[in-house]
Amino acid sequence: MQEQGTPRRHLIALGLTAPLAAAGTGLVAAAPATARTRRVTRVGARTGHPFQDPQLPFEDRVEDLLGRLTRDEKISLLHQQQPAVPRLGVRSFRTGTEALHGLAWLGKATVFPQALGLASTWNPALIKRVGAAVGDEARGFQQERPEGWGLNLWAPVVNLLRDPRWGRNEEGYSEDPYLTGAISVAYGTGLQGEHPRYLKTAPTIKHYLANNTERNRTTSDSVLPPRVRHEYYEAAFRPALTADAVTGVMTSYNLVNGRPATVNPDLDAVVRKWADKDLLNVTDADAPNNLTGGQDYYPTLAEADAAALKAGIDSFTSDSKEPGKTVKALTTALEKGLISESDIDTAVRHILGIRCRLGEFDPDGGPYGKISKSVVDSPEHRALARETAREAVVLLKNAPLEGDRPLLPLDGKRLKKVAVVGPLADTLYVDWYSGSLPYEVTPREGIKERLGSAGKVTGGEGVDRIAVKNAATGAYLTAGSGADGAVLTESGTGAGATAQFDVFDWGQDIVTLRSAANAKYVGYDGKVFRNDQDQPGGWYVQQQFALEKRGEGTWLVRYAGYDTLTDWFGPKKYLKAGDDGTVTLVAEADATRYEVETVRDGVAEAVEAARDADVAVVVVGTMPAINGREDHDRTDMALAEGQAALVKAVHRANPRTVVVLETSYPETITWEQAHIPALVWTTHAGQETGNALADVLFGDHNPAGRLTQTWYRSEDDLPDLLEYDVIKADRTYLYFRGDVLYPFGHGLSYTTFRYGEPQLSSRTLGPDGTVTVSVRVTNTGRRDGDEVVQLYVRRRGSRDKQPLQQLRGFERVRVKAGRSTTVRFKLRAADLAHWDVTRGREVVESGEIELRVGASCGDIRGRTTLRVRGEEIPPRDLSRTTRAADFDDYRGVRLVDESKVRGDAVGAAEDGAWVLFRDVDLGSGARKFTARVAREGRGGGSLTVRLGSPRGRVVGTASVPSTGDRYAYESVTARLRGAHGRHDVYLVFSDAMRLSTFSLR
């Protein structure tokens, strides 16, 4: 196909209005010699094309390049792996470099604390610096462009941590939308850089929308009533987009109200309206194929990709490096009229706009084009990693042990011997989206370095070392001693080093086996087992085992990699050696019975070290690849059984015990909270973990990290993991009424702070006004320290159920010992708004607001009240056509897709299901009920209007016939009797049907 020339309308925009001398060349016949045309002509002579002229507006450059691309070239740019266009000097481009807490999968790069840890600093200014460092390192790889590199970064993740059992808890920031928004704005702004026009990198926020479960994650349905959707889930995404801190969104795998997020019409209708600048929206990996696969939403990929494009997707992340399917599907969609070329142009415009802002089409690569790889793991970034890791540490408990003096901080000058024990004492684990650690400072190394020559560090990992012997033949399971290990065989005649394995307990009977011969983990490659793994990892984490006890002192060894949970793996999961001694997998009935010999008792070793030490530091926690991760939710929130036993044994031996908990999420450590004098929590905090912990334990850094999630006492405090309605289910600190282990915002210090009474700049607040809330904070202790001052609001009286309290401001402030500072919060009336389902918009209600300031949502130090002059929500008027999805309450229904393109409907699945419309003014009498319904099943049903309750007085019943399809709606009517005055109106369903809209007139 011939190259397309620049459209005349675009030349007019460039000031080039004379006829083209040669279509397709971009050259212009004689035209008035304006300054602009002279500049374009000069650039054209030098570079060949106006889109490469840095002096032109980005919009003009994009339109110039778009006009030069052929149809096929434009379609090729819609895949993640965008090919080069050599004839135009356009290089290849790839969306999707993972940058969650440092660059992943590119080789060694600075690894900062997990995203949860970044948020635990409650320090947006610091997180902006972290984002800037990660952005610099992304640019640092640009000269060599390693596999997987690109400047479109997939971060931050802002999915709310509404349930601590979510496998990807480590990737998010908080259960609170306000805190999540503040941290995401900071990180995204840092990634983008400070230039007013150009981007250092192009961050993509993910995953839109309501993506918090891994169980059947491509087919699970997140049911979001309007208030929950607007006030909670969307509220986490909006701040970074309205601040232009990110350049696009990634859609999630799940369905939202019955419709796959990949074709969510809100991508254009809502998300793009939040941002002032163009966005580049992408799908999650292979999500387009799910539309025709597990989701079964469209019959062909052409229809699926067309729907995604029209919904607002610009780039299809599909089939890894192979664009063929996507290109074919979109070409077919275009040829069949499912999409138009203008739809393609719109998406390509978004793509080219971001690429242009990245400086890609500038001759010198733009203002960030010269950043070199020297920034990667630079001394400055190492220092920043340490600073961030220590600011993220949360002191959970620090009880007096001797008189009034708490156990922490430790006095390095007086300590002669410190026992550092535990399975995480000598290891730093990385998660799925971590980079490769450039170096490792483990907890033991950090403490040893801090203690120096004045003291001694003792202890081990506290794990058992075992040998496994065939009970029938006496042959030992044997690994290799070299760096690459060897195939696991039954060949040893004794329990030598190659037959010894360290057993790490990760809970629920899952263990990993590290070979004593080479310190490598035993893993499975689909055929044999080999001790050649540096850490448990990989998509299926094929280093997991379970030791299952059988009678007469024998055991079975079960392989427990995540691949065993798939439907294709089969029943062969147990170890047995073949004739040549090589260990393979067989069914349970054929499994070898083994005897397990304890070579070293890890707990006994730890106890011996602790008993003889001045203080014991027990480092326990989770393995990020095993205890919950992408594709696998947690089913248990307790510390692993073996680790809990280790903590108890060490504490019995030495009451001066500090427990350091390294996890990616909250734990139900109720025994530890009751008995251990000092508890410290951190996420897996990257390369500087050990130094950061030592800084905190010895008081070189006064801890001020705060929890960003509620820590519950039990899983029984939580509803089903798939329950997304946080308002109705009383989820998170916003609505939970039970007794928690640690409240949202909790974190202690080595000093104490006194709060004064909060002061207001005004006692009343108008509908468009702002009030300043001031509080004086005094450090009443002997140490300088940071305090995270938190502002919460609580509405007194509302038409709708409101949060118990809601974060609306925070500031981390440094206060010297004995000094004071005043913290001021700006509170807008808009910050007090909630979604009014009766009118489909935000509303600030008139009434009284209680303002609370404190150190956490459970540690409020001062209160005052504010009178808000807003509006009153009037009674509902159901004489207008009303969307059924805008109900006030419900039972036995789900929100479903009204059509495949847009809209929500109410889907009932059982007799007696209902939706409530509260406080309806029926006036002098409504006489006719009209509803738009769809009923796929055969036969007839009914939809009944009741007043006061689901079993209240019947004022009308409409018969609902079969419409033959879930998307085929018909209008049904019923005569109403006695429907007058103000009432709560219930619509009660007889069986399965869908209700789109209705009215009572």
Side-chain angles (χ1 to χ4, degrees), residues 358-376:
L358 286 167
E360 182 181 348
F361 306 136
D362 286 27
D364 62 354
Y368 297 107
K370 292 183 173 59
I371 295 178
S372 71
K373 198 174 180 182
S374 63
V375 300
V376 179

Side-chain angles (χ1 to χ4, degrees), residues 18 39 138 164 196 256 287 366 506 734 741 766 860 892 894 922 955:
R39 181 171 67 243
V256 177
W506 302 115
L734 295 167
L741 184 62
I860 300 301
R894 299 176 66 86
L922 297 171
V955 295

Side-chain angles (χ1 to χ4, degrees), residues 268-340:
D268 272 343
V270 175
V271 172
R272 280 202 159 92
K273 291 181 180 177
W274 289 336
D276 288 333
K277 297 179 180 178
D278 273 350
L279 301 177
L280 165 56
N281 295 334
V282 306
T283 73
D284 207 336
D286 276 331
N289 292 332
N290 294 334
L291 292 167
T292 58
Q295 293 169 344
D296 194 24
Y297 206 68
Y298 290 99
T300 68
L301 191 59
E303 293 169 271
D305 284 3
L309 189 73
K310 292 178 79 68
I313 290 295
D314 304 306
S315 179
F316 291 76
T317 314
S318 192
D319 306 299
S320 299
K321 299 179 182 179
E322 301 302 324
K325 284 175 61 177
T326 297
V327 169
K328 181 179 179 181
L330 289 169
T331 302
T332 300
L334 181 62
E335 292 171 348
K336 290 187 174 182
L338 301 175
I339 54 175
S340 66

Side-chain angles (χ1 to χ4, degrees), residues 103 130-140 151 153 190-191 200-201 371:
L103 296 177
V130 172
V134 176
D136 283 345
E137 295 202 4
R139 280 286 182 172
L151 293 175
L153 307 186
L191 290 173
K200 184 191 300 181
T201 67
I371 295 178

Side-chain angles (χ1 to χ4, degrees), residues 420-456:
V420 181
V421 300
L424 282 81
D426 297 322
T427 305
L428 298 185
Y429 289 115
V430 296
D431 60 49
W432 182 247
Y433 290 108
S434 286
S436 299
L437 296 168
Y439 60 91
E440 301 179 28
V441 182
T442 67
R444 182 185 309 283
E445 291 168 341
I447 292 171
K448 185 176 181 180
E449 174 68 21
R450 175 58 180 80
L451 199 57
S453 59
K456 182 179 181 181

